[in-house]
Structures are given as C-alpha cells and as structure tokens.
Amino acid sequence: MHQMRLAMLTGSRTAFDLNVFSSPYGGQTPPSYQPAPYPPSAGGPVPGADKKIPAAICAILLGALGVHKFILGYTTEGLIMLGITILTCGFGAMISSVIGLVEGIMYLTKSDQEFVATYVQGRRGWF
C-alpha cells in the first residue's frame, strides 16, 4: 500500500501499479461466473407435459398393448405394437413389453421441457 502511495506521489509506475490501473475491475477479483439454469423456465407448467406420467406408467405396465403410444397420439405406432401382440398370439408381447419398458423409463428420465420437445412437438415415435 505504501508503495502505491509513493508511486502516485512521485508519478512513477511499478509493475504493481500497472496491474491495478489496467485491470477493468480496479485491482479487485472479477465477479464469479454463474451459469444460467437450464432450460430457462417461464415459471408455469409446460404445455403437453401432462401426458408424461400417464404415458410412462402405461408404457411400463401395458407396453405390450401400445397404450402409451395412443396417449401420445401415435396411432400408427400403437397399432403396430398392438398388432405384434395380437397377431403372434401373445408371443410377440415379450418384445413389445421390453420396448414399452425402455420407453417408459426414457419418458420418466427426461425433464418436462425435453419430453415435450421430443415426443409432443418433435413427434418422435420410437425410442
């Protein structure tokens, strides 16, 4: 501190003075970086997110019948899963139920914004 006063009075600059005067923060540490929360929310519920929990539960419990596909509005995909189960006399239900289980877990692990962007707006029918 004494060195800075002396430099100011005499007009000479030292390396310490140059750092203080050339810093945009006046010799203080810059403010810490705080990332914005992802994704930015508007404060209310996300339209279309009300289908997430019913679709996930039906996918896990009734995945072989494709009920979760009908809830999300995927009629063709729902009919395919139902057709696999019916036309194979139930033997194809194992495949359809595994697909339903995986999709149900995927629905539950996504945030409301990701779920709506992927399955409601993006219309992604499979996985």
Side-chain angles (χ1 to χ4, degrees):
M1 193 71 157
H2 177 64
Q3 188 180 24
M4 187 167 75
R5 277 193 208 146
L6 181 62
M8 293 172 91
L9 292 174
T10 61
S12 64
R13 294 189 170 231
T14 63
F16 177 72
D17 290 329
L18 292 176
N19 287 336
V20 171
F21 292 113
S22 65
S23 171
Y25 301 106
Q28 298 176 355
T29 58
S32 62
Y33 172 73
Q34 296 293 329
Y38 176 77
S41 63
V46 179
D50 56 336
K51 296 178 180 182
K52 177 181 169 181
I53 300 298
I57 292 173
C58 287
I60 292 170
L61 298 178
L62 302 171
L65 301 175
V67 175
H68 61 289
K69 298 290 187 180
F70 292 111
I71 289 174
L72 293 174
Y74 302 132
T75 307
T76 304
E77 290 87 347
L79 289 173
I80 289 170
M81 290 185 76
L82 183 62
I84 289 172
T85 301
I86 292 175
L87 295 175
T88 60
C89 298
F91 292 111
M94 291 189 322
I95 296 169
S96 296
S97 62
V98 169
I99 291 171
L101 178 67
V102 170
E103 287 182 337
I105 292 171
M106 288 175 60
Y107 296 163
L108 290 175
T109 58
K110 292 189 180 291
S111 68
D112 289 347
Q113 290 86 1
E114 289 175 323
F115 177 81
V116 170
T118 305
Y119 299 108
V120 177
Q121 294 171 347
R123 304 292 299 161
R124 183 173 170 189
W126 299 100
F127 296 105

